[in-house]
Structures are given as structure tokens and as C-alpha cells.
Amino acid sequence: MINVYIQQNNEQIIAIKVSGHADSAEYGKDLVCAGVTTVCVGIANALAENGFLKNKLGTIGLNKGICNIQVKQYNEKIQIVLEIFVTILRTVEESQPQYIKIKRMEV
């Protein structure tokens, strides 16, 4: 199961963690995992290209089945990228609910 944890504060995303494996097929043929991994890497690249790391707005960790994004400073453009990320993940969850679960928490 892929688990997605989204932390928000005053409706602003402050953290997203994606972890686990879908196990929807054998290793190398798991399209759910491949899709989620592609989205994670693509969003990490989009954040980096929009100054997320350079301007020290937050951190990105991509390690062996875990994508961890922490936001340190508010930036409207970054929030839009993160909301797009959540929308894509929610779309996967709607079509493949047995393989991915999303939990949103207000902190």
C-alpha cells in the first residue's frame, strides 16, 4: 500500500510524505508504483526549478520508496505546485483505491 500523508496549517501545505509500495504487480511491472514514483520525481524537479531548494523554502528527500517534502517558508507558486501534486495523487487514489491511501491532517 502506498501511503500519502499531507500536513496543512491554515490550509497551506507544510509537508507531504509518500511511502510504501502498491504491490499491484510483480516488481518491475507495477504500474501504480511506477506512476506514483514518476509523479514524485516530476514534482521534486518542478519544485527545484521554481527555487524551492535554492531559496531555502524547504527540503526534498527522495530515498528508496519514500518522497518527503517539507515546506519551511510560504510561497504561492510552491503551494500551487504542491496542490497539483495532491490532485494527481488523489486521481490515482480514486482509480486505484486498493493501492494508495491519502490522509490530510491539520497541524
Side-chain angles (χ1 to χ4, degrees):
M1 173 72 67
I2 296 172
N3 292 295
V4 180
Y5 300 98
I6 303 162
Q7 292 182 343
Q8 297 179 178
N9 188 316
N10 294 323
E11 298 184 18
Q12 302 302 315
I13 296 171
I14 59 170
I16 299 177
K17 181 178 181 180
V18 181
S19 64
H21 295 282
D23 294 320
S24 68
E26 65 183 81
Y27 182 80
K29 296 181 180 181
D30 190 330
L31 296 180
V32 177
C33 266
V36 170
T37 298
T38 300
V39 172
C40 288
V41 172
I43 289 296
N45 289 337
L47 289 169
E49 288 175 12
N50 282 283
F52 187 70
L53 299 172
K54 182 176 135 184
N55 297 322
K56 299 181 181 178
L57 300 175
T59 60
I60 301 169
L62 295 171
N63 299 306
K64 296 183 183 180
I66 298 174
C67 172
N68 194 9
I69 299 169
Q70 299 286 321
V71 179
K72 295 180 182 179
Q73 292 182 33
Y74 174 80
N75 177 287
E76 185 175 357
K77 188 186 293 188
I78 296 304
Q79 285 297 309
I80 291 169
V81 172
L82 294 174
E83 285 295 342
I84 291 168
F85 186 27
V86 171
T87 300
I88 294 167
L89 292 171
R90 200 170 55 236
T91 301
V92 175
E93 181 187 40
E94 288 170 2
S95 66
Q96 302 293 326
Q98 67 273 37
Y99 301 117
I100 181 171
K101 295 289 180 220
I102 299 173
K103 297 176 185 162
R104 284 183 105 124
M105 299 162 269
E106 185 73 22
V107 294

